[in-house]
Amino acid sequence: MPGGGRAGDGPARPRGARWWAVRGALLLAAVLLGVALVGQWNDVRDSVGELTVLGLVGSAVATVAAVGATVLSWRAVLGGLGAVLPLRAAIRIFCVGQIGKYIPGSVWPVLAQMELSRDYGVSRPKSASASLVVLALAVPCGGVTAAATLPFVSREALTDYWWALAVVPLFAVVLYPPVLSRLLGRAFRLLRRPPLAEPLTARPILAGAGWLIAGFVWYGVGTWLLVRDLTPAVDGARLVALCVGAYALAWTAGFLVLVLPAGAGVREAVLVLALAPALPSGPATLIAVVARLLATIADVVWALVGVALRPRGEPTPDERPSPVLPAEPGADPRETPSRAR
């Protein structure tokens, strides 16, 4: 059912030039991801022994859960646009497309998700809208998470990176449903695309925001599991709040620097500063680099899951037989009408 309703589970169109172009970009992104993974491992292999196996494994699990929460956020927003995807399809589209972020520029995962969504009967405008809304939602969600925690434990980070929170009101206004619907409608008119049939309402936006905040909490828990291995100066609930807020601020600042792939460098610098109340710069740098490595591993794990969930041997919508309505009494059975798909 292209463009609305419950999307199909199998490919719905032939493979054209755009299909191959997107696969080529994803292949490039996979190569860059592998290079990043090797480089990050080289950065930490001599000092990772300072962390416990339990801390590393627990942090990895929490980071994988955080990425999973982002998938659910995207799926909730897309459902609010009228395209309800099965969970396995959402995982495949979002997680395989997400490796595009390892190509410099934040547009690549959106383009990949647009094209992959069409394999499941979702129009490009709906997919692009969902991806862009989730990206826009992440900034106020990260900012709110940081603002709710860091003032009590790491004021220095907010003093230096206040600009990452200053944009939160602007994003909040843009995401107000009537404003967002007008902006999307204008954008599609400029692109000479038909407007969305179902404008976003507050419910899917709030659902998407809730999942993103849950993701930031999971990232913070993963950071806390690493930090507590290094005898921090802060402990208990204060340390948990510090780690959650520090990661949220670091992610937000890294995202706003669009020219770097996945916020490389900026995120680590902000995280080191935000963790200053608990750790000196040396141990905090180790945490920042290990956290980046685990986030990259989580992207690999989810991308592999997405590839494994590729439907095999299922009929496309054009190949599925149409249900046949019973013949009316007295009608010629050779003229029995078929129900339109």
Side-chain angles (χ1 to χ4, degrees):
M1 190 182 300
R6 189 170 185 86
D9 290 326
R13 60 190 179 90
R15 299 177 179 181
R18 190 188 296 266
W19 189 96
W20 289 108
V22 169
R23 268 58 182 186
L26 287 175
L27 179 60
L28 172 62
V31 171
L32 294 176
L33 188 156
V35 171
L37 195 61
V38 172
Q40 291 162 17
W41 170 247
N42 289 335
D43 290 339
V44 303
R45 63 181 177 182
D46 294 331
S47 52
V48 73
E50 299 176 30
L51 303 171
T52 65
V53 173
L54 182 61
L56 286 168
V57 172
S59 182
V61 171
T63 304
V64 169
V67 177
T70 309
V71 178
L72 294 175
S73 175
W74 181 80
R75 183 177 180 239
V77 172
L78 185 64
L81 290 169
V84 181
L85 281 173
L87 181 58
R88 60 182 291 149
I91 291 172
R92 173 171 168 77
I93 294 167
F94 186 87
C95 296
V96 174
Q98 191 70 356
I99 66 172
K101 70 182 182 181
Y102 290 90
I103 302 175
S106 297
V107 69
W108 296 106
V110 177
L111 293 176
Q113 288 157 1
M114 285 171 58
E115 198 64 22
L116 291 169
S117 293
R118 291 195 67 216
D119 291 344
Y120 293 85
V122 178
S123 67
R124 288 194 187 101
K126 288 191 177 185
S127 176
S129 298
S131 298
L132 292 173
V133 168
V134 169
L135 286 173
L137 264 177
V139 174
C141 289
V144 166
T145 304
T149 52
L150 288 184
F152 307 103
V153 285
S154 186
R155 295 181 181 88
E156 296 84 357
L158 292 181
T159 300
D160 285 4
Y161 291 95
W162 59 269
W163 50 268
L165 304 186
V167 299
V168 169
L170 173 63
F171 275 78
V173 170
V174 169
L175 289 164
Y176 181 58
V179 175
L180 180 61
S181 295
R182 291 192 189 98
L183 290 175
L184 290 175
R186 181 168 299 179
F188 288 131
R189 282 196 298 273
L190 291 174
L191 295 172
R192 297 182 180 180
R193 293 280 184 176
L196 295 171
E198 300 183 36
L200 271 172
T201 61
R203 183 172 180 178
I205 291 177
L206 291 175
W211 283 116
L212 286 174
I213 291 174
F216 281 120
V217 171
W218 276 115
Y219 278 125
V221 169
T223 305
W224 168 71
L225 288 168
L226 297 174
V227 169
R228 68 175 188 169
D229 283 344
L230 299 178
T231 317
V234 177
D235 58 12
R238 191 163 178 257
L239 181 60
V240 176
L242 172 64
C243 293
V244 171
Y247 197 99
L249 179 65
W251 189 96
T252 304
F255 173 81
L256 292 174
V257 183
L258 299 178
V259 296
L260 296 175
V266 175
R267 189 178 302 175
E268 287 75 20
V270 179
L271 188 57
V272 169
L273 179 62
L275 291 175
L279 294 174
S281 60
T285 300
L286 171 62
I287 296 300
V289 178
V290 171
R292 163 70 69 172
L293 173 63
L294 293 179
T296 304
I297 291 173
D299 286 337
V300 172
V301 168
W302 279 109
L304 292 175
V305 170
V307 171
L309 291 176
R310 179 179 181 179
R312 297 179 183 277
E314 296 182 7
T316 68
D318 291 334
E319 294 170 344
R320 291 172 186 145
S322 300
V324 178
L325 292 173
E328 296 181 3
D332 186 341
R334 293 172 297 178
E335 298 178 356
T336 300
S338 296
R339 183 180 291 123
R341 284 173 292 184

